[in-house]
Amino acid sequence: MNPAPLVALVGNPNAGKSALFNALTGARQKVGNYPGVTVERHAGRMALADGRPVELVDLPGTYSLEPSSPDERVTRDVVFGRQAGERRPDAIVVVVDAANLDNHLRFTLQLIELGLPVIVALNMVDLAERDGLTLDAAVLERELGVPVVPTVAVRRRGLEPLRERLGELLRAPNARAPAPDAAPRDISLLQRRARQIAKAATVSETAGRRWSARIDSVVLNPVAGPLILLALMFVMFQAVFAWSEAPIGWIESLVGWVGETVAAALPEGLIRSALVDGVIEGVGAVVVFLPQILILFLFILVLEASGYMVRAAFLMDRLMAGVGLSGRAFIPLLSSFACAVPGIMATRTISDERERLATILIAPLMTCSARLPVYTIIIAAFIPDTAVAPGVGLQGLVLFALYLFGIVGAMIAALLLRRTVTKGASSGFMMEMPKYQWPRPRDLVLGLWQRAEIFLKRAGGIILITTIVLWALLSFPQAPEGRSQVEYSIAGRIGGAIETVVAPIGFNRDIALALLPAMAAREVAVSAIATVYAIDDPEGAAGQADIRENLQTRWSLPTALAFLMWFVFAPQCISTIAITRRETNGWRWPLFMIGYLFALAYVAAGVTYWSARAIGL
């Protein structure tokens, strides 16, 4: 007895393929593994309109017949009849998303040119119509030269017509077997054909969808797109300074009032010093930067919710391909701008192990939000608050440059890593472009609240504990009359030892005391400096003005610039090192990461310091 015909269900990810498979097979499904690989095989039985049985196999989603992961390799091998334990399909059902027709048709055209019997399930037509797009399936069928059936898998619409057309297709004489090189290699030609076919099949389109296409033609342009992305980043960093000035002043006044109230209520001694010089001065020096962090995340949330962030990933894919990475690395690296820990965890989506490792190793070079307090306090102290052009402040320009240094440094590091210790070919990457939409105010407020909660928990947790420990090390042993408490303390002696190592790159004792606790959390560098100055000068003024005054008095401009460059490249906090050890299953790569980043930070700080001195800064 001849076996039931085998029909392969294929398509791009997120086309609704699994929903259609479930609707067609119901409970008649079996799940197993393909021989020799860990990829699951989902197969089920379905009946055609005339009652004949068919075996339906649901293949992993892919964008192309040129695989970049084990899942995609299985799909290609099954289609070509080369997968062990699987016979060549008698027909292919291609599931396409009606709302993203031109993107999905590229893969469809590849499959049609293989020569196997093909039928297209034009899925999610209801969502396309909801979004203002009406398609003509008959025109699409004529343009493609294969049967096209509109479906809504989740509502079980279009299943009977699909069974009927599939039955007709299977009754026709078998087509030729696909050759391994049958799929066309010219992707750009396929994309142009797909767009022309999608345009021909479009009956009507709302103004909103047309405007979306027009916007994409500009923001995704190879020349204009990157310039627009840079302009958005520039505006964002200008706003970090321009919009935060007033709320920072309010928080600073509140912290100062709390400090004065506590100091007035307690007698002079260690307890008052611990609360005022340690907790309030140290933690308060970090908390005042909450408005700047929230402004930064407001921009990020708006860009994500509007649909632009995926376009930014598309633009960055071109850049990252030149250094051996793909767009798959963009999302983890983007996450690292908030914190490197979730960014490194997000690299699990990268199928190629060498590319994933390279992404992990450069993730700390993305400027996380914890660096923002360090950057802004130094910039506010040493960079004049002057306008270099209408609406363009020098302080925001410097902050923008620091973020760019981190990105450029990460790309150069990736290029070197991908040619040496993580050598390998870059994997391909495709993505769906979501529609543009107005961000929901409720979602923005919720996102900002969550970010504020995370920041304040860090301030009340690890930053508070580290600050108290540093205060204790700065306060003991008590210095004799006439001796500097900071220099006489345990922390002062440790700082003196560290200063010997970092003095050649322009770092002083204050910086040496801040570097070690900053490994717990980057923001601690600011609270450490504030605590040092509070103990060194108990009668000094409180707040950011006092810190800036001390910095301007004790630091030179070359030292300040070198300090900024150190924080651009130095390894992240202990949490980052710990998650790297967990994700790489050992200490080899975390130690490598620590070593190369410390070396890079030391060299960058040294070059900056001596160059600044050479030009007379």
Side-chain angles (χ1 to χ4, degrees):
M1 180 182 293
N2 292 329
L6 177 66
V7 176
L9 203 62
V10 299
N12 292 175
N14 304 316
K17 185 167 52 63
S18 295
L20 183 60
F21 174 76
N22 293 333
L24 289 170
T25 61
R28 300 181 299 276
Q29 300 181 14
K30 289 187 292 186
V31 179
N33 270 26
Y34 284 98
V37 294
T38 58
V39 178
E40 287 187 340
R41 180 185 188 271
H42 295 259
R45 301 280 286 189
M46 62 169 284
L48 298 174
D50 57 9
R52 285 182 297 158
V54 164
E55 183 179 1
L56 192 65
V57 59
D58 183 14
L59 298 181
T62 180
Y63 291 102
S64 170
L65 289 175
E66 297 176 354
S68 60
S69 69
D71 282 5
E72 295 179 348
R73 194 171 298 114
V74 164
T75 297
R76 179 203 61 187
D77 289 346
V78 170
V79 169
F80 283 126
R82 300 190 307 213
Q83 178 62 46
E86 189 76 89
R87 56 195 169 99
R88 181 174 66 88
D90 297 287
I92 295 175
V93 176
V94 187
V95 186
V96 302
D97 178 2
N100 292 286
L101 188 59
D102 53 348
N103 289 330
H104 286 233
L105 283 183
R106 185 173 74 171
F107 183 40
T108 305
L109 290 170
Q110 277 191 310
L111 293 168
I112 290 173
E113 294 192 14
L114 291 178
L116 282 171
V118 170
I119 184 170
V120 173
L122 186 62
N123 199 32
M124 298 190 283
V125 291
D126 57 334
L127 297 183
E129 292 172 355
R130 183 200 66 184
D131 292 341
L133 177 65
T134 303
L135 300 172
D136 190 327
V139 173
L140 184 59
E141 181 171 317
R142 185 189 68 216
E143 294 291 329
L144 292 175
V146 299
V148 175
V149 179
T151 61
V152 181
V154 295
R155 298 175 185 266
R156 304 183 64 85
R157 283 169 46 189
L159 300 188
E160 289 308 313
L162 182 62
R163 287 190 177 100
E164 291 176 5
R165 300 297 298 274
L166 182 57
E168 296 170 3
L169 195 67
L170 288 171
R171 280 195 294 268
N174 273 344
R176 68 184 188 277
D181 59 349
R185 302 292 182 183
D186 192 341
I187 300 298
S188 61
L189 176 60
L190 281 177
Q191 189 65 59
R192 286 196 296 272
R193 286 183 59 196
R195 286 173 181 164
Q196 290 169 0
I197 293 172
K199 184 177 180 180
T202 300
V203 175
S204 63
E205 192 174 15
T206 61
R209 284 188 62 91
R210 289 195 296 271
W211 272 110
S212 179
R214 291 169 184 168
I215 294 172
D216 277 347
S217 68
V218 177
V219 301
L220 298 181
N221 182 276
V223 177
L227 294 177
I228 292 172
L229 178 58
L230 285 174
L232 286 172
M233 292 177 61
F234 180 78
V235 171
M236 177 167 54
F237 296 124
Q238 289 291 320
V240 164
F241 276 97
W243 297 359
S244 65
E245 186 174 351
I248 282 180
W250 302 335
I251 298 176
E252 187 176 354
S253 298
L254 177 62
V255 171
W257 176 81
V258 171
E260 292 172 359
T261 302
V262 172
L266 295 175
E268 186 174 348
L270 287 176
I271 295 178
R272 188 176 82 170
S273 177
L275 290 175
V276 176
D277 301 332
V279 174
I280 297 173
E281 283 287 335
V283 177
V286 175
V287 171
V288 296
F289 293 104
L290 178 61
Q292 292 181 324
I293 290 174
L294 293 183
I295 290 170
L296 177 66
F297 275 92
L298 175 62
F299 275 88
I300 293 174
L301 289 170
V302 168
L303 293 178
E304 286 179 344
S306 66
Y308 178 78
M309 199 62 81
V310 176
R311 274 83 178 174
F314 177 80
L315 294 171
M316 292 299 295
D317 179 53
R318 297 172 181 169
L319 171 64
M320 291 191 290
V323 299
L325 300 177
S326 71
R328 295 180 192 272
F330 178 78
I331 300 302
L333 294 178
L334 179 66
S335 300
S336 297
F337 278 104
C339 177
V341 172
I344 290 172
M345 293 175 65
T347 61
R348 296 170 185 173
T349 60
I350 301 175
S351 56
D352 184 87
E353 285 299 317
R354 309 300 285 178
E355 184 178 348
R356 177 174 183 249
L357 178 58
T359 307
I360 289 173
L361 294 176
I362 68 170
L365 287 168
M366 298 295 106
T367 302
C368 67
S369 59
R371 287 176 167 127
L372 191 59
V374 180
Y375 288 169
T376 53
I377 190 67
I378 302 301
I379 291 173
F382 289 94
I383 305 301
D385 184 15
T386 56
V388 296
V392 179
L394 182 59
Q395 292 180 335
L397 192 62
V398 172
L399 182 62
F400 175 61
L402 291 172
Y403 273 76
L404 281 185
F405 281 142
I407 295 171
V408 172
M411 295 301 102
I412 294 174
L415 179 64
L416 296 176
L417 289 170
R418 293 293 280 159
R419 293 188 176 184
T420 53
V421 295
T422 64
K423 190 173 182 179
S426 175
S427 60
F429 178 56
M430 292 286 292
M431 66 190 78
E432 298 288 351
M433 295 294 180
K435 67 176 183 178
Y436 289 102
Q437 56 187 355
W438 290 106
R440 295 172 58 190
R442 181 180 178 276
D443 293 340
L444 296 179
V445 172
L446 180 60
L448 292 176
W449 174 261
Q450 291 172 339
R451 190 64 233 175
E453 188 177 27
I454 291 171
F455 178 76
L456 293 175
K457 282 182 178 178
R458 282 170 64 90
I462 189 170
I463 295 174
L464 174 61
I465 294 171
T466 308
T467 301
I468 291 174
V469 171
L470 179 61
W471 168 85
L473 293 175
L474 284 165
S475 300
F476 298 98
Q478 291 287 301
E481 189 71 27
R483 294 287 301 273
S484 167
Q485 176 59 41
V486 172
E487 291 181 358
Y488 194 77
S489 67
I490 297 173
R493 295 171 191 180
I494 295 173
I498 298 175
E499 184 180 10
T500 304
V501 178
V502 297
I505 59 174
F507 287 6
N508 54 28
R509 182 206 66 189
D510 303 344
I511 296 176
L513 284 169
L515 292 182
L516 199 58
M519 288 296 292
R522 301 317 242 163
E523 307 98 320
V524 175
V526 175
S527 63
I529 291 172
T531 303
V532 169
Y533 293 155
I535 290 179
D536 211 21
D537 183 17
E539 304 302 323
Q544 298 296 299
D546 178 56
I547 298 175
R548 289 195 294 269
E549 183 179 339
N550 273 291
L551 289 172
Q552 293 164 351
T553 303
R554 305 179 185 218
W555 295 23
S556 66
L557 179 56
T559 291
L561 296 176
F563 185 68
L564 290 174
M565 293 306 294
W566 173 275
F567 270 85
V568 169
F569 297 109
Q572 283 274 17
C573 58
I574 293 174
S575 299
T576 301
I577 298 168
I579 198 67
T580 302
R581 188 208 65 80
R582 194 181 78 180
E583 293 296 314
T584 59
N585 298 314
W587 280 106
R588 176 190 175 191
W589 292 112
L591 291 175
F592 173 83
M593 183 179 74
I594 294 170
Y596 102 82
L597 288 176
F598 265 133
L600 186 60
Y602 196 91
V603 171
V607 169
T608 302
Y609 175 73
W610 289 106
S611 298
R613 289 196 59 181
I615 61 176
L617 294 181

